[in-house]
Each structure stands twice: as C-alpha cells, then as structure tokens.
Amino acid sequence: MPEPQEEAATQPSSPRPAPARGLPRMTLERGRVLFVSSGAIGVTALPEWALVLRFRYGWSVRVCLSYSADRLVSRSALAAVTQAPVEGPDWPTERGVVPHQELAEWPDLVIAAPATTNFVAKCAAGMADSLVLTTVLCTAAPVLIAPSIPENALARPAVQRNLRLLEEDGYHVVPMSPAVSAHRGTVSPSGMPGLPAILKVAARVLAKPEEPGEGEKPGEGEKSGEAEEKGKTEEKGRTEESAEAEREGAAGTGGQPDG
C-alpha cells in the first residue's frame, strides 16, 4: 500500500473559492504580499487578514513586526496562518541574508497596517531605524499605508503634513475608517481601514494603464482625437455661418458668407 503522504499528494486539491463579497478580484505577478505592522490595536486583525489572503486569493503572505506591534499580536498565530516565520523586530543575519534587502525584494505588494503616528512620521522623513521602516524604504513594490492615528493627533498640522508627504513620495495612503478606540471605548473616525478598503486601493494601484491602440505610437491617438474635434468645430462654424447668411439674405440685408 502507498504511504498516506503519497496518497494524499495524488488527490486533486479542492477549488479555491472566489473572493468574498466586498473583496475585489485582483492578481499579483508572483502572488506575494508583505505586511509591515506597527503598534496599534488593529494589528490583532492580522492573523485573520493573512488567512483571507491565503484562502481567498491563494497568495503567499509574510509579516514583519515593529517592537511595539510584537507586544500586541501573537507571533505563533501569525506563523501558523502564514506558514512562514515572522520577521522583526530584531535584525538577524544567521540565515545568511541581509533581512531588509531580502524582505524588500520578496513581495509584489507591501501593506503597512496598522501604520501608527510614529511610523507615518518616520516614513515621511525617510528614517530607517527599524526593520519595518528600512524594508519599506528599500522595496520597489507598491506600498499601501493604512493609518491608525488618534483623533486629536490627526488634527495636528504636522500629522496632516506627514500624510501628504507620503502621497507626494509615491506611497498610497488608504483613507481611514471609523473604529472603536481602545482607550475611550467610543467610535473614532481615524481608525485603521478594513481589509476590503485596503484591497480596493491596491486593485486601483496595480491596474495597468490603458495601452495605445494597435499600430499607434504613444500620443498619436490623442493627436488624432484633437484633429477630429478641431474638424468638427470648424464644420460647425461653417454651418452656422451658412445659416446666418441665409437668414440675412431672406431679410434683404445682402450679407454673404465670406469667400
């Protein structure tokens, strides 16, 4: 009799379900997502989110934690649902790789969630004093920032400026959502956005721009459209001039169209 492991390997895998309602359909070139997380209470949602991305999309997921995030979420739970070691907050080199470079090159998409006020400020300033920040600075993959900021802090001009700087620097800031404050127990408008909102922004970011029409060089379609619009405008002008001339002739003014 074959070994149980071999028998299981020959069985067809069950089809993966379509993304749940509210989640966009999207693909990643290599199917790799990296979460970089800092210390807000929303980090406790990460095990469930990672499971959704693996189960619904079939993606590989890894997680890198800051020191404060490491105190709020179970590394064991994250390792179990991602089937990968959790990176950070330390910077080990025992595996023979440079951690921030290896992490930066691995993903197709980076999601910074939650992104605390401190993380947002340091990232906007280009600081690299932790594994999460250095990885974000070194990656060439699109980076989505999902902020979780205290309501009063969000009103500060400095915090607003940092969020604008991130956008100007090419990061993609996901609008915050109402969430229950762990401190007050009331709803705050500046909580971390949910996974569906983050993925919808990701889908827009990753969507390929429209290619020029077949046989056209870039810009030719635009020039052709401009010429066509100009022709329509000139034809309309000639028609209006003819109609005006007819009205003037009927009135006995003797007016004629030019030419």
Side-chain angles (χ1 to χ4, degrees), residues 79-119:
V81 298
T82 60
Q83 296 186 339
V86 178
E87 307 294 340
D90 296 321
W91 219 310
T93 56
E94 291 86 355
R95 289 180 295 162
V97 298
V98 179
H100 62 280
Q101 294 282 27
E102 189 272 331
L103 276 174
E105 294 172 358
W106 181 81
D108 299 310
L109 178 67
V110 176
I111 301 175
T116 61
T117 312
N118 183 59
F119 179 92

PDB file of all heavy atoms in Angstrom, residues 79-119:
ATOM      1  N   ALA A  79       2.574  33.004  12.444  1.00  0.00           N
ATOM      2  CA  ALA A  79       3.369  31.985  11.774  1.00  0.00           C
ATOM      3  C   ALA A  79       2.493  30.830  11.302  1.00  0.00           C
ATOM      4  O   ALA A  79       2.708  30.276  10.216  1.00  0.00           O
ATOM      5  CB  ALA A  79       4.463  31.480  12.709  1.00  0.00           C
ATOM      6  N   ALA A  80       1.491  30.490  12.101  1.00  0.00           N
ATOM      7  CA  ALA A  80       0.614  29.374  11.742  1.00  0.00           C
ATOM      8  C   ALA A  80      -0.217  29.696  10.501  1.00  0.00           C
ATOM      9  O   ALA A  80      -0.341  28.870   9.596  1.00  0.00           O
ATOM     10  CB  ALA A  80      -0.293  29.031  12.920  1.00  0.00           C
ATOM     11  N   VAL A  81      -0.802  30.896  10.446  1.00  0.00           N
ATOM     12  CA  VAL A  81      -1.704  31.212   9.326  1.00  0.00           C
ATOM     13  C   VAL A  81      -0.944  31.595   8.063  1.00  0.00           C
ATOM     14  O   VAL A  81      -1.462  31.442   6.956  1.00  0.00           O
ATOM     15  CB  VAL A  81      -2.703  32.334   9.703  1.00  0.00           C
ATOM     16  CG1 VAL A  81      -3.595  31.900  10.852  1.00  0.00           C
ATOM     17  CG2 VAL A  81      -1.988  33.631  10.035  1.00  0.00           C
ATOM     18  N   THR A  82       0.290  32.102   8.206  1.00  0.00           N
ATOM     19  CA  THR A  82       1.066  32.455   7.017  1.00  0.00           C
ATOM     20  C   THR A  82       1.947  31.301   6.557  1.00  0.00           C
ATOM     21  O   THR A  82       2.439  31.320   5.426  1.00  0.00           O
ATOM     22  CB  THR A  82       1.974  33.670   7.277  1.00  0.00           C
ATOM     23  OG1 THR A  82       2.894  33.360   8.345  1.00  0.00           O
ATOM     24  CG2 THR A  82       1.154  34.894   7.649  1.00  0.00           C
ATOM     25  N   GLN A  83       2.168  30.330   7.434  1.00  0.00           N
ATOM     26  CA  GLN A  83       3.081  29.220   7.160  1.00  0.00           C
ATOM     27  C   GLN A  83       4.473  29.739   6.800  1.00  0.00           C
ATOM     28  O   GLN A  83       5.154  29.225   5.914  1.00  0.00           O
ATOM     29  CB  GLN A  83       2.527  28.317   6.043  1.00  0.00           C
ATOM     30  CG  GLN A  83       1.221  27.631   6.425  1.00  0.00           C
ATOM     31  CD  GLN A  83       0.736  26.636   5.389  1.00  0.00           C
ATOM     32  OE1 GLN A  83       1.119  26.696   4.234  1.00  0.00           O
ATOM     33  NE2 GLN A  83      -0.115  25.702   5.808  1.00  0.00           N
ATOM     34  N   ALA A  84       4.862  30.788   7.523  1.00  0.00           N
ATOM     35  CA  ALA A  84       6.174  31.396   7.309  1.00  0.00           C
ATOM     36  C   ALA A  84       6.636  32.017   8.619  1.00  0.00           C
ATOM     37  O   ALA A  84       5.807  32.461   9.428  1.00  0.00           O
ATOM     38  CB  ALA A  84       6.107  32.459   6.216  1.00  0.00           C
ATOM     39  N   PRO A  85       7.938  32.087   8.848  1.00  0.00           N
ATOM     40  CA  PRO A  85       8.434  32.740  10.060  1.00  0.00           C
ATOM     41  C   PRO A  85       8.047  34.217  10.075  1.00  0.00           C
ATOM     42  O   PRO A  85       7.984  34.860   9.022  1.00  0.00           O
ATOM     43  CB  PRO A  85       9.953  32.571   9.965  1.00  0.00           C
ATOM     44  CG  PRO A  85      10.173  31.473   8.975  1.00  0.00           C
ATOM     45  CD  PRO A  85       9.030  31.543   8.018  1.00  0.00           C
ATOM     46  N   VAL A  86       7.807  34.744  11.252  1.00  0.00           N
ATOM     47  CA  VAL A  86       7.510  36.164  11.403  1.00  0.00           C
ATOM     48  C   VAL A  86       8.824  36.929  11.503  1.00  0.00           C
ATOM     49  O   VAL A  86       9.709  36.563  12.287  1.00  0.00           O
ATOM     50  CB  VAL A  86       6.634  36.412  12.654  1.00  0.00           C
ATOM     51  CG1 VAL A  86       6.380  37.906  12.836  1.00  0.00           C
ATOM     52  CG2 VAL A  86       5.316  35.645  12.534  1.00  0.00           C
ATOM     53  N   GLU A  87       8.946  37.989  10.717  1.00  0.00           N
ATOM     54  CA  GLU A  87      10.170  38.789  10.703  1.00  0.00           C
ATOM     55  C   GLU A  87      10.058  39.956  11.688  1.00  0.00           C
ATOM     56  O   GLU A  87       8.964  40.447  11.971  1.00  0.00           O
ATOM     57  CB  GLU A  87      10.432  39.335   9.301  1.00  0.00           C
ATOM     58  CG  GLU A  87      10.440  38.282   8.208  1.00  0.00           C
ATOM     59  CD  GLU A  87      11.579  37.308   8.325  1.00  0.00           C
ATOM     60  OE1 GLU A  87      12.586  37.626   8.998  1.00  0.00           O
ATOM     61  OE2 GLU A  87      11.487  36.213   7.735  1.00  0.00           O
ATOM     62  N   GLY A  88      11.233  40.410  12.157  1.00  0.00           N
ATOM     63  CA  GLY A  88      11.258  41.528  13.086  1.00  0.00           C
ATOM     64  C   GLY A  88      10.834  41.096  14.490  1.00  0.00           C
ATOM     65  O   GLY A  88      10.334  40.001  14.686  1.00  0.00           O
ATOM     66  N   PRO A  89      10.961  42.000  15.447  1.00  0.00           N
ATOM     67  CA  PRO A  89      11.586  43.328  15.309  1.00  0.00           C
ATOM     68  C   PRO A  89      13.111  43.282  15.255  1.00  0.00           C
ATOM     69  O   PRO A  89      13.746  44.265  14.900  1.00  0.00           O
ATOM     70  CB  PRO A  89      11.106  44.069  16.548  1.00  0.00           C
ATOM     71  CG  PRO A  89      10.902  42.991  17.560  1.00  0.00           C
ATOM     72  CD  PRO A  89      10.434  41.780  16.797  1.00  0.00           C
ATOM     73  N   ASP A  90      13.688  42.117  15.620  1.00  0.00           N
ATOM     74  CA  ASP A  90      15.145  42.022  15.568  1.00  0.00           C
ATOM     75  C   ASP A  90      15.615  41.924  14.116  1.00  0.00           C
ATOM     76  O   ASP A  90      14.825  41.719  13.195  1.00  0.00           O
ATOM     77  CB  ASP A  90      15.632  40.810  16.372  1.00  0.00           C
ATOM     78  CG  ASP A  90      15.306  40.954  17.862  1.00  0.00           C
ATOM     79  OD1 ASP A  90      15.429  42.086  18.373  1.00  0.00           O
ATOM     80  OD2 ASP A  90      14.922  39.950  18.486  1.00  0.00           O
ATOM     81  N   TRP A  91      16.923  42.028  13.956  1.00  0.00           N
ATOM     82  CA  TRP A  91      17.522  42.129  12.635  1.00  0.00           C
ATOM     83  C   TRP A  91      18.540  40.995  12.455  1.00  0.00           C
ATOM     84  O   TRP A  91      19.729  41.220  12.265  1.00  0.00           O
ATOM     85  CB  TRP A  91      18.236  43.475  12.528  1.00  0.00           C
ATOM     86  CG  TRP A  91      18.126  44.168  11.216  1.00  0.00           C
ATOM     87  CD1 TRP A  91      18.360  43.648   9.982  1.00  0.00           C
ATOM     88  CD2 TRP A  91      17.779  45.531  11.015  1.00  0.00           C
ATOM     89  NE1 TRP A  91      18.189  44.608   9.013  1.00  0.00           N
ATOM     90  CE2 TRP A  91      17.822  45.780   9.617  1.00  0.00           C
ATOM     91  CE3 TRP A  91      17.440  46.587  11.867  1.00  0.00           C
ATOM     92  CZ2 TRP A  91      17.555  47.024   9.065  1.00  0.00           C
ATOM     93  CZ3 TRP A  91      17.172  47.820  11.329  1.00  0.00           C
ATOM     94  CH2 TRP A  91      17.223  48.038   9.940  1.00  0.00           C
ATOM     95  N   PRO A  92      18.073  39.739  12.494  1.00  0.00           N
ATOM     96  CA  PRO A  92      19.026  38.618  12.497  1.00  0.00           C
ATOM     97  C   PRO A  92      19.652  38.389  11.123  1.00  0.00           C
ATOM     98  O   PRO A  92      19.018  38.610  10.086  1.00  0.00           O
ATOM     99  CB  PRO A  92      18.155  37.422  12.895  1.00  0.00           C
ATOM    100  CG  PRO A  92      16.804  37.771  12.371  1.00  0.00           C
ATOM    101  CD  PRO A  92      16.680  39.265  12.507  1.00  0.00           C
ATOM    102  N   THR A  93      20.886  37.933  11.127  1.00  0.00           N
ATOM    103  CA  THR A  93      21.577  37.614   9.869  1.00  0.00           C
ATOM    104  C   THR A  93      22.059  36.161   9.861  1.00  0.00           C
ATOM    105  O   THR A  93      22.825  35.772   8.973  1.00  0.00           O
ATOM    106  CB  THR A  93      22.779  38.550   9.669  1.00  0.00           C
ATOM    107  OG1 THR A  93      23.644  38.453  10.820  1.00  0.00           O
ATOM    108  CG2 THR A  93      22.336  39.987   9.500  1.00  0.00           C
ATOM    109  N   GLU A  94      21.592  35.364  10.831  1.00  0.00           N
ATOM    110  CA  GLU A  94      22.067  33.981  10.938  1.00  0.00           C
ATOM    111  C   GLU A  94      21.713  33.145   9.711  1.00  0.00           C
ATOM    112  O   GLU A  94      22.368  32.148   9.415  1.00  0.00           O
ATOM    113  CB  GLU A  94      21.475  33.301  12.188  1.00  0.00           C
ATOM    114  CG  GLU A  94      22.005  33.838  13.501  1.00  0.00           C
ATOM    115  CD  GLU A  94      21.234  35.054  13.980  1.00  0.00           C
ATOM    116  OE1 GLU A  94      20.343  35.529  13.228  1.00  0.00           O
ATOM    117  OE2 GLU A  94      21.519  35.530  15.091  1.00  0.00           O
ATOM    118  N   ARG A  95      20.661  33.519   8.985  1.00  0.00           N
ATOM    119  CA  ARG A  95      20.248  32.744   7.811  1.00  0.00           C
ATOM    120  C   ARG A  95      21.119  33.035   6.592  1.00  0.00           C
ATOM    121  O   ARG A  95      20.921  32.450   5.527  1.00  0.00           O
ATOM    122  CB  ARG A  95      18.788  33.045   7.470  1.00  0.00           C
ATOM    123  CG  ARG A  95      17.794  32.464   8.459  1.00  0.00           C
ATOM    124  CD  ARG A  95      16.375  32.805   8.046  1.00  0.00           C
ATOM    125  NE  ARG A  95      16.124  34.240   8.095  1.00  0.00           N
ATOM    126  CZ  ARG A  95      15.116  34.847   7.478  1.00  0.00           C
ATOM    127  NH1 ARG A  95      14.277  34.151   6.734  1.00  0.00           N
ATOM    128  NH2 ARG A  95      14.937  36.149   7.591  1.00  0.00           N
ATOM    129  N   GLY A  96      22.047  33.952   6.739  1.00  0.00           N
ATOM    130  CA  GLY A  96      22.929  34.253   5.625  1.00  0.00           C
ATOM    131  C   GLY A  96      22.346  35.233   4.633  1.00  0.00           C
ATOM    132  O   GLY A  96      22.781  35.279   3.473  1.00  0.00           O
ATOM    133  N   VAL A  97      21.354  36.025   5.047  1.00  0.00           N
ATOM    134  CA  VAL A  97      20.780  37.045   4.175  1.00  0.00           C
ATOM    135  C   VAL A  97      20.760  38.373   4.925  1.00  0.00           C
ATOM    136  O   VAL A  97      20.812  38.419   6.148  1.00  0.00           O
ATOM    137  CB  VAL A  97      19.333  36.695   3.736  1.00  0.00           C
ATOM    138  CG1 VAL A  97      19.306  35.416   2.935  1.00  0.00           C
ATOM    139  CG2 VAL A  97      18.395  36.592   4.946  1.00  0.00           C
ATOM    140  N   VAL A  98      20.698  39.439   4.165  1.00  0.00           N
ATOM    141  CA  VAL A  98      20.509  40.768   4.754  1.00  0.00           C
ATOM    142  C   VAL A  98      18.998  40.967   4.888  1.00  0.00           C
ATOM    143  O   VAL A  98      18.294  41.086   3.873  1.00  0.00           O
ATOM    144  CB  VAL A  98      21.121  41.868   3.875  1.00  0.00           C
ATOM    145  CG1 VAL A  98      20.898  43.240   4.493  1.00  0.00           C
ATOM    146  CG2 VAL A  98      22.606  41.602   3.666  1.00  0.00           C
ATOM    147  N   PRO A  99      18.446  40.968   6.103  1.00  0.00           N
ATOM    148  CA  PRO A  99      16.987  40.887   6.281  1.00  0.00           C
ATOM    149  C   PRO A  99      16.188  41.932   5.527  1.00  0.00           C
ATOM    150  O   PRO A  99      15.207  41.593   4.864  1.00  0.00           O
ATOM    151  CB  PRO A  99      16.817  41.025   7.802  1.00  0.00           C
ATOM    152  CG  PRO A  99      18.097  40.533   8.375  1.00  0.00           C
ATOM    153  CD  PRO A  99      19.152  40.954   7.397  1.00  0.00           C
ATOM    154  N   HIS A 100      16.584  43.212   5.611  1.00  0.00           N
ATOM    155  CA  HIS A 100      15.759  44.239   4.974  1.00  0.00           C
ATOM    156  C   HIS A 100      15.817  44.148   3.453  1.00  0.00           C
ATOM    157  O   HIS A 100      14.833  44.436   2.771  1.00  0.00           O
ATOM    158  CB  HIS A 100      16.169  45.639   5.458  1.00  0.00           C
ATOM    159  CG  HIS A 100      17.562  46.032   5.123  1.00  0.00           C
ATOM    160  ND1 HIS A 100      18.651  45.609   5.832  1.00  0.00           N
ATOM    161  CD2 HIS A 100      18.057  46.818   4.125  1.00  0.00           C
ATOM    162  CE1 HIS A 100      19.753  46.113   5.313  1.00  0.00           C
ATOM    163  NE2 HIS A 100      19.427  46.848   4.277  1.00  0.00           N
ATOM    164  N   GLN A 101      16.955  43.714   2.903  1.00  0.00           N
ATOM    165  CA  GLN A 101      17.049  43.580   1.451  1.00  0.00           C
ATOM    166  C   GLN A 101      16.239  42.374   0.966  1.00  0.00           C
ATOM    167  O   GLN A 101      15.530  42.448  -0.042  1.00  0.00           O
ATOM    168  CB  GLN A 101      18.520  43.423   1.027  1.00  0.00           C
ATOM    169  CG  GLN A 101      19.372  44.661   1.282  1.00  0.00           C
ATOM    170  CD  GLN A 101      19.139  45.735   0.227  1.00  0.00           C
ATOM    171  OE1 GLN A 101      18.085  45.818  -0.382  1.00  0.00           O
ATOM    172  NE2 GLN A 101      20.127  46.582   0.019  1.00  0.00           N
ATOM    173  N   GLU A 102      16.342  41.280   1.678  1.00  0.00           N
ATOM    174  CA  GLU A 102      15.583  40.084   1.293  1.00  0.00           C
ATOM    175  C   GLU A 102      14.090  40.341   1.380  1.00  0.00           C
ATOM    176  O   GLU A 102      13.320  39.974   0.477  1.00  0.00           O
ATOM    177  CB  GLU A 102      15.983  38.912   2.194  1.00  0.00           C
ATOM    178  CG  GLU A 102      15.427  37.566   1.761  1.00  0.00           C
ATOM    179  CD  GLU A 102      14.055  37.273   2.331  1.00  0.00           C
ATOM    180  OE1 GLU A 102      13.755  37.770   3.437  1.00  0.00           O
ATOM    181  OE2 GLU A 102      13.279  36.551   1.676  1.00  0.00           O
ATOM    182  N   LEU A 103      13.659  40.986   2.451  1.00  0.00           N
ATOM    183  CA  LEU A 103      12.238  41.304   2.610  1.00  0.00           C
ATOM    184  C   LEU A 103      11.770  42.296   1.552  1.00  0.00           C
ATOM    185  O   LEU A 103      10.666  42.184   1.020  1.00  0.00           O
ATOM    186  CB  LEU A 103      11.977  41.885   4.000  1.00  0.00           C
ATOM    187  CG  LEU A 103      11.774  40.891   5.151  1.00  0.00           C
ATOM    188  CD1 LEU A 103      11.667  41.654   6.468  1.00  0.00           C
ATOM    189  CD2 LEU A 103      10.540  40.033   4.935  1.00  0.00           C
ATOM    190  N   ALA A 104      12.600  43.289   1.251  1.00  0.00           N
ATOM    191  CA  ALA A 104      12.221  44.323   0.274  1.00  0.00           C
ATOM    192  C   ALA A 104      12.040  43.753  -1.121  1.00  0.00           C
ATOM    193  O   ALA A 104      11.185  44.208  -1.887  1.00  0.00           O
ATOM    194  CB  ALA A 104      13.264  45.443   0.262  1.00  0.00           C
ATOM    195  N   GLU A 105      12.850  42.753  -1.485  1.00  0.00           N
ATOM    196  CA  GLU A 105      12.796  42.192  -2.833  1.00  0.00           C
ATOM    197  C   GLU A 105      11.729  41.111  -2.985  1.00  0.00           C
ATOM    198  O   GLU A 105      11.366  40.768  -4.110  1.00  0.00           O
ATOM    199  CB  GLU A 105      14.173  41.605  -3.195  1.00  0.00           C
ATOM    200  CG  GLU A 105      15.261  42.655  -3.322  1.00  0.00           C
ATOM    201  CD  GLU A 105      16.640  42.034  -3.478  1.00  0.00           C
ATOM    202  OE1 GLU A 105      16.740  40.774  -3.441  1.00  0.00           O
ATOM    203  OE2 GLU A 105      17.619  42.798  -3.626  1.00  0.00           O
ATOM    204  N   TRP A 106      11.216  40.583  -1.874  1.00  0.00           N
ATOM    205  CA  TRP A 106      10.322  39.425  -1.936  1.00  0.00           C
ATOM    206  C   TRP A 106       8.919  39.741  -2.457  1.00  0.00           C
ATOM    207  O   TRP A 106       8.392  39.020  -3.298  1.00  0.00           O
ATOM    208  CB  TRP A 106      10.238  38.777  -0.547  1.00  0.00           C
ATOM    209  CG  TRP A 106       9.371  37.566  -0.504  1.00  0.00           C
ATOM    210  CD1 TRP A 106       9.696  36.295  -0.887  1.00  0.00           C
ATOM    211  CD2 TRP A 106       8.007  37.511  -0.066  1.00  0.00           C
ATOM    212  NE1 TRP A 106       8.628  35.451  -0.711  1.00  0.00           N
ATOM    213  CE2 TRP A 106       7.581  36.166  -0.210  1.00  0.00           C
ATOM    214  CE3 TRP A 106       7.114  38.453   0.427  1.00  0.00           C
ATOM    215  CZ2 TRP A 106       6.293  35.753   0.131  1.00  0.00           C
ATOM    216  CZ3 TRP A 106       5.831  38.045   0.770  1.00  0.00           C
ATOM    217  CH2 TRP A 106       5.435  36.711   0.609  1.00  0.00           C
ATOM    218  N   PRO A 107       8.240  40.834  -2.012  1.00  0.00           N
ATOM    219  CA  PRO A 107       6.806  40.967  -2.303  1.00  0.00           C
ATOM    220  C   PRO A 107       6.480  41.641  -3.627  1.00  0.00           C
ATOM    221  O   PRO A 107       7.292  42.352  -4.229  1.00  0.00           O
ATOM    222  CB  PRO A 107       6.314  41.830  -1.141  1.00  0.00           C
ATOM    223  CG  PRO A 107       7.467  42.729  -0.839  1.00  0.00           C
ATOM    224  CD  PRO A 107       8.706  41.910  -1.112  1.00  0.00           C
ATOM    225  N   ASP A 108       5.238  41.395  -4.068  1.00  0.00           N
ATOM    226  CA  ASP A 108       4.630  42.167  -5.161  1.00  0.00           C
ATOM    227  C   ASP A 108       3.887  43.379  -4.611  1.00  0.00           C
ATOM    228  O   ASP A 108       3.616  44.328  -5.345  1.00  0.00           O
ATOM    229  CB  ASP A 108       3.626  41.311  -5.929  1.00  0.00           C
ATOM    230  CG  ASP A 108       4.263  40.099  -6.560  1.00  0.00           C
ATOM    231  OD1 ASP A 108       5.288  40.249  -7.242  1.00  0.00           O
ATOM    232  OD2 ASP A 108       3.745  38.983  -6.370  1.00  0.00           O
ATOM    233  N   LEU A 109       3.525  43.311  -3.335  1.00  0.00           N
ATOM    234  CA  LEU A 109       2.731  44.367  -2.699  1.00  0.00           C
ATOM    235  C   LEU A 109       3.096  44.428  -1.229  1.00  0.00           C
ATOM    236  O   LEU A 109       3.204  43.383  -0.570  1.00  0.00           O
ATOM    237  CB  LEU A 109       1.234  44.064  -2.855  1.00  0.00           C
ATOM    238  CG  LEU A 109       0.249  45.027  -2.204  1.00  0.00           C
ATOM    239  CD1 LEU A 109       0.284  46.391  -2.894  1.00  0.00           C
ATOM    240  CD2 LEU A 109      -1.177  44.456  -2.253  1.00  0.00           C
ATOM    241  N   VAL A 110       3.290  45.642  -0.717  1.00  0.00           N
ATOM    242  CA  VAL A 110       3.560  45.849   0.709  1.00  0.00           C
ATOM    243  C   VAL A 110       2.389  46.608   1.313  1.00  0.00           C
ATOM    244  O   VAL A 110       1.960  47.631   0.768  1.00  0.00           O
ATOM    245  CB  VAL A 110       4.872  46.636   0.928  1.00  0.00           C
ATOM    246  CG1 VAL A 110       5.085  46.917   2.413  1.00  0.00           C
ATOM    247  CG2 VAL A 110       6.058  45.876   0.343  1.00  0.00           C
ATOM    248  N   ILE A 111       1.872  46.106   2.424  1.00  0.00           N
ATOM    249  CA  ILE A 111       0.780  46.767   3.136  1.00  0.00           C
ATOM    250  C   ILE A 111       1.263  47.119   4.535  1.00  0.00           C
ATOM    251  O   ILE A 111       1.570  46.216   5.327  1.00  0.00           O
ATOM    252  CB  ILE A 111      -0.470  45.870   3.215  1.00  0.00           C
ATOM    253  CG1 ILE A 111      -0.960  45.499   1.811  1.00  0.00           C
ATOM    254  CG2 ILE A 111      -1.578  46.568   4.006  1.00  0.00           C
ATOM    255  CD1 ILE A 111      -2.126  44.514   1.808  1.00  0.00           C
ATOM    256  N   ALA A 112       1.375  48.410   4.818  1.00  0.00           N
ATOM    257  CA  ALA A 112       1.753  48.869   6.148  1.00  0.00           C
ATOM    258  C   ALA A 112       0.477  49.056   6.956  1.00  0.00           C
ATOM    259  O   ALA A 112      -0.221  50.059   6.806  1.00  0.00           O
ATOM    260  CB  ALA A 112       2.539  50.177   6.066  1.00  0.00           C
ATOM    261  N   ALA A 113       0.160  48.065   7.788  1.00  0.00           N
ATOM    262  CA  ALA A 113      -1.098  48.083   8.526  1.00  0.00           C
ATOM    263  C   ALA A 113      -0.918  47.350   9.858  1.00  0.00           C
ATOM    264  O   ALA A 113      -0.486  46.198   9.855  1.00  0.00           O
ATOM    265  CB  ALA A 113      -2.206  47.410   7.704  1.00  0.00           C
ATOM    266  N   PRO A 114      -1.261  48.024  10.955  1.00  0.00           N
ATOM    267  CA  PRO A 114      -1.573  49.449  11.023  1.00  0.00           C
ATOM    268  C   PRO A 114      -0.303  50.294  10.939  1.00  0.00           C
ATOM    269  O   PRO A 114       0.774  49.852  11.333  1.00  0.00           O
ATOM    270  CB  PRO A 114      -2.240  49.582  12.394  1.00  0.00           C
ATOM    271  CG  PRO A 114      -1.674  48.451  13.207  1.00  0.00           C
ATOM    272  CD  PRO A 114      -1.400  47.337  12.253  1.00  0.00           C
ATOM    273  N   ALA A 115      -0.479  51.512  10.434  1.00  0.00           N
ATOM    274  CA  ALA A 115       0.608  52.484  10.387  1.00  0.00           C
ATOM    275  C   ALA A 115       0.330  53.544  11.456  1.00  0.00           C
ATOM    276  O   ALA A 115      -0.595  54.343  11.306  1.00  0.00           O
ATOM    277  CB  ALA A 115       0.702  53.123   9.008  1.00  0.00           C
ATOM    278  N   THR A 116       1.090  53.514  12.515  1.00  0.00           N
ATOM    279  CA  THR A 116       0.863  54.433  13.628  1.00  0.00           C
ATOM    280  C   THR A 116       1.354  55.838  13.303  1.00  0.00           C
ATOM    281  O   THR A 116       2.031  56.066  12.286  1.00  0.00           O
ATOM    282  CB  THR A 116       1.587  53.937  14.888  1.00  0.00           C
ATOM    283  OG1 THR A 116       3.003  53.890  14.606  1.00  0.00           O
ATOM    284  CG2 THR A 116       1.109  52.555  15.296  1.00  0.00           C
ATOM    285  N   THR A 117       1.043  56.771  14.183  1.00  0.00           N
ATOM    286  CA  THR A 117       1.512  58.149  14.015  1.00  0.00           C
ATOM    287  C   THR A 117       3.029  58.200  13.934  1.00  0.00           C
ATOM    288  O   THR A 117       3.603  58.930  13.111  1.00  0.00           O
ATOM    289  CB  THR A 117       1.027  59.015  15.192  1.00  0.00           C
ATOM    290  OG1 THR A 117      -0.366  58.789  15.408  1.00  0.00           O
ATOM    291  CG2 THR A 117       1.263  60.487  14.935  1.00  0.00           C
ATOM    292  N   ASN A 118       3.685  57.408  14.773  1.00  0.00           N
ATOM    293  CA  ASN A 118       5.146  57.366  14.782  1.00  0.00           C
ATOM    294  C   ASN A 118       5.687  56.783  13.482  1.00  0.00           C
ATOM    295  O   ASN A 118       6.634  57.327  12.884  1.00  0.00           O
ATOM    296  CB  ASN A 118       5.619  56.524  15.971  1.00  0.00           C
ATOM    297  CG  ASN A 118       7.126  56.487  16.104  1.00  0.00           C
ATOM    298  OD1 ASN A 118       7.767  57.516  16.245  1.00  0.00           O
ATOM    299  ND2 ASN A 118       7.689  55.281  16.052  1.00  0.00           N
ATOM    300  N   PHE A 119       5.086  55.701  13.012  1.00  0.00           N
ATOM    301  CA  PHE A 119       5.521  55.084  11.756  1.00  0.00           C
ATOM    302  C   PHE A 119       5.342  56.048  10.597  1.00  0.00           C
ATOM    303  O   PHE A 119       6.236  56.200   9.757  1.00  0.00           O
ATOM    304  CB  PHE A 119       4.723  53.800  11.511  1.00  0.00           C
ATOM    305  CG  PHE A 119       5.067  53.100  10.226  1.00  0.00           C
ATOM    306  CD1 PHE A 119       6.033  52.107  10.196  1.00  0.00           C
ATOM    307  CD2 PHE A 119       4.433  53.442   9.038  1.00  0.00           C
ATOM    308  CE1 PHE A 119       6.359  51.463   9.004  1.00  0.00           C
ATOM    309  CE2 PHE A 119       4.746  52.805   7.847  1.00  0.00           C
ATOM    310  CZ  PHE A 119       5.716  51.819   7.829  1.00  0.00           C
TER     311      PHE A 119
END
